[in-house]
Amino acid sequence: MTASKAHIVVIGAGVVGLQTAVTFLEHGHAVTVIAKHVPGDKSSEYTSPWAGAQWRTHSTAKDFELQKWDIASYERWFQTVEQEKKEPGQPTKSGVAKFHNVMYWAEEDEELANGPENLWYAPHMRSFEVIPRSSLPKGAVAGVKYDSISIDTTVYLHHLVDRITELKGRIVKAELPTAGGIAGALAAATRLLPVYSINTPISAFVNSSGILAKDLVPDPAVHPIRGQTVLVRGVATQLRAIIRGKGVTYVIPRAASNSTILGGTKQVGDWNQNPDDTTTKWILESCRDVAPELLNEKGEFDVLSVNVGFRPGRTGGPRLEVEEIQTEAGKFVVCHEYGHAGAGYQLSFGSAEKTLGLLTEHFQRHATRAKL
Ligand SMILES: Cc1cc2nc3c(=O)[nH]c(=O)nc-3n(C[C@H](O)[C@H](O)[C@H](O)COP(=O)(O)OP(=O)(O)OC[C@H]3O[C@@H](n4cnc5c(N)ncnc54)[C@H](O)[C@@H]3O)c2cc1C
Ligand SMILES: *[C@@H]1O[C@H](CO)[C@@H](O)[C@H](O)[C@H]1NC(C)=O
Ligand SMILES: *[C@@H]1O[C@H](CO)[C@@H](O)[C@H](O)[C@H]1NC(C)=O
């Protein structure tokens, strides 16, 4: 195996795995994705379709590496919008759209410690403005505005699949066994590919198995963060959010499908797959004043669906790390890439590039070692 032309097997077809596949393909590598769920599937084990989704950072003032990844996606998405000459609210082919974002805090929190004008991301945002105290609505302690991005997850995930196909990557829909640990899963993947006439030797695996990573690699740090949202008819005119202690009230317009996501909850450790009616009522009630333009003539939202997703939470943040696994069938190289919690879309480009860097470095070290 050489660092210049590898065959990478990516486990997982969520936004993390798919973007990683695209990034490796764009650097000239061969890629096969193996995934139990692929875009179009709806399952509580598959998080990516259920995301809001938007660009709104979750990185703290100290998360320097994650900040870089956040800014990478912000810039990439704005570039796409500009290249396709889209006005605010008009979706690109990949399903992203630029919207103005208005955000309030209902209580003081750590993020606001140095005042809203000193948020770490303020200098990177287009049209960033602090909302003066005198203009804050009742109950808000701070507010900012900036231009941001909303993502129509269905369109976006299918677009990533199209890009993989265009670059001659392959996607195999299959579940890898979890009972035999990582070694068992990797051995199964190795046996599986020839069945699909993919006979190129495998250089390395990437483990982007999302919340199911807890089965594949029993990592006690991985936990679900439940998010319930309501999809309603019509496109809100802006992205909006009210940051509260527990839930966050948010409005994410989906320009490509004439709808808007209203949210939402962040319930750590909660595996309840069923929508909770009290939560639905709370979301609809708290969004009434936030997105009045979506109310029908009866003064109600036209609800299209109520959704539940499980963010792949991980204590300490995402795990990106190369591991060598010794098995009877030989040595496997895996780069773990999971645990992106509530930020998998906005971290996807940076995370994929980091994975590429880690594996390239690994193979270079290996080649040097072999020569000595
Ligand atoms: C309500 C909600 C709102 C959100 N809002 C945002 C937002 O605004 N911005 C943002 O950036 N993020 C947001 N997120 C977070 C984002 O959705 C996740 O971080 C992201 O989807 C995680 O992607 P993933 O690829 O790691 O996992 P997943 O999408 O879950 O994909 C995992 C993949 O691994 C496969 N897999 C797992 N185990 C196996 C196995 N044994 N064999 C074969 N395949 C396997 C699965 O089938 C699947 O294909 C939100 C999430 C929720 C729930
Ligand atoms: C992927 O990561 C998870 C979480 O640590 C782990 O349980 C699983 O065994 C890993 N799978 C592979 C194939 O490396
Ligand atoms: C979008 O939804 C709104 C609100 O229900 C409706 O009035 C409008 O006709 C819809 N537009 C399209 C193009 O379907």
Side-chain angles (χ1 to χ4, degrees):
M1 140 83 207
T2 67
S4 58
K5 181 79 181 158
H7 177 208
I8 305 296
V9 174
V10 175
I11 302 168
V15 68
V16 173
L18 294 174
Q19 180 55 51
T20 301
V22 170
T23 298
F24 274 90
L25 287 163
E26 285 175 345
H27 282 80
H29 299 293
V31 176
T32 306
V33 177
I34 300 179
K36 180 176 176 186
H37 307 95
V38 297
D41 291 344
K42 294 275 159 69
S43 160
S44 60
E45 293 177 332
Y46 183 33
T47 309
S48 295
W50 307 116
Q54 63 180 316
W55 191 97
R56 180 164 64 77
T57 182
H58 294 206
S59 308
T60 70
K62 289 182 196 135
D63 294 332
F64 299 113
E65 181 156 32
L66 298 185
Q67 290 178 7
K68 276 196 266 169
W69 301 1
D70 277 335
I71 297 309
S73 60
Y74 188 83
E75 288 302 327
R76 286 286 284 266
W77 288 328
F78 270 98
Q79 255 172 33
T80 309
V81 166
E82 279 153 21
Q83 270 162 10
E84 293 184 30
K85 299 194 167 58
K86 297 297 181 191
E87 295 299 318
Q90 289 182 341
T92 64
K93 284 198 291 286
S94 57
V96 305
K98 161 181 161 173
F99 278 94
H100 204 51
N101 181 27
V102 181
M103 196 156 107
Y104 297 112
W105 282 262
E107 46 199 84
E108 290 294 339
D109 70 14
E110 216 175 302
E111 205 187 356
L112 290 172
N114 299 317
E117 64 282 9
N118 290 312
L119 289 165
W120 74 260
Y121 52 94
H124 302 279
M125 299 293 103
R126 296 162 192 225
S127 316
F128 184 90
E129 266 178 65
V130 172
I131 301 168
R133 274 193 167 268
S134 55
S135 311
L136 292 176
K138 206 170 135 245
V141 300
V144 299
K145 296 184 196 180
Y146 55 89
D147 288 343
S148 195
I149 293 287
S150 91
I151 305 136
D152 198 312
T153 56
T154 307
V155 180
Y156 194 79
L157 295 171
H158 282 291
H159 183 81
L160 288 176
V161 169
D162 291 347
R163 185 85 187 112
I164 289 169
T165 311
E166 208 174 272
L167 294 167
K168 310 255 179 307
R170 296 282 304 268
I171 301 182
V172 170
K173 186 171 172 172
E175 177 175 7
L176 295 176
T178 54
I182 304 190
L186 300 185
T190 310
R191 285 193 302 270
L192 182 69
L193 296 194
V195 176
Y196 291 85
S197 307
I198 301 169
N199 295 305
T200 322
I202 299 170
S203 320
F205 290 88
V206 174
N207 180 10
S208 33
S209 49
I211 194 65
L212 284 181
K214 71 167 196 340
D215 298 332
L216 272 176
V217 183
D219 180 339
V222 176
H223 53 261
I225 307 172
R226 183 179 184 274
Q228 183 170 325
T229 58
V230 184
L231 185 71
V232 300
R233 196 183 305 281
V235 183
T237 55
Q238 291 179 319
L239 280 156
R240 302 190 187 105
I242 305 175
I243 317 290
R244 311 174 192 277
K246 283 192 185 129
V248 178
T249 294
Y250 56 79
V251 172
I252 306 176
R254 287 193 168 177
S257 55
N258 199 24
S259 56
T260 296
I261 285 275
L262 307 178
T265 62
K266 283 197 170 175
Q267 298 157 283
V268 177
D270 187 335
W271 270 122
N272 181 14
Q273 293 180 27
N274 302 316
D276 168 65
D277 289 343
T278 317
T279 306
T280 305
K281 278 193 198 117
W282 173 75
I283 292 171
L284 294 175
E285 205 42 51
S286 51
C287 286
R288 285 183 64 86
D289 297 341
V290 184
E293 73 271 31
L294 299 180
L295 299 171
N296 60 23
E297 52 294 348
K298 286 191 232 146
E300 290 162 3
F301 290 109
D302 288 320
V303 174
L304 300 172
S305 60
V306 180
N307 301 321
V308 174
F310 300 98
R311 303 171 182 89
R314 185 169 183 275
T315 312
R319 178 179 181 209
L320 278 90
E321 191 183 354
V322 176
E323 193 181 352
E324 286 188 358
I325 313 265
Q326 201 64 51
T327 72
E328 282 160 16
K331 192 174 67 183
F332 294 115
V333 177
V334 186
C335 186
H336 295 290
E337 193 191 13
Y338 60 83
H340 297 71
Y345 281 83
Q346 63 209 14
L347 296 177
S348 59
F349 297 103
S351 179
E353 267 146 39
K354 173 81 179 193
T355 301
L356 175 70
L358 287 174
L359 279 176
T360 306
E361 206 179 283
H362 179 89
F363 288 125
Q364 274 162 357
R365 243 198 340 263
H366 203 75
T368 317
R369 233 175 17 216
K371 265 189 226 139
L372 289 174

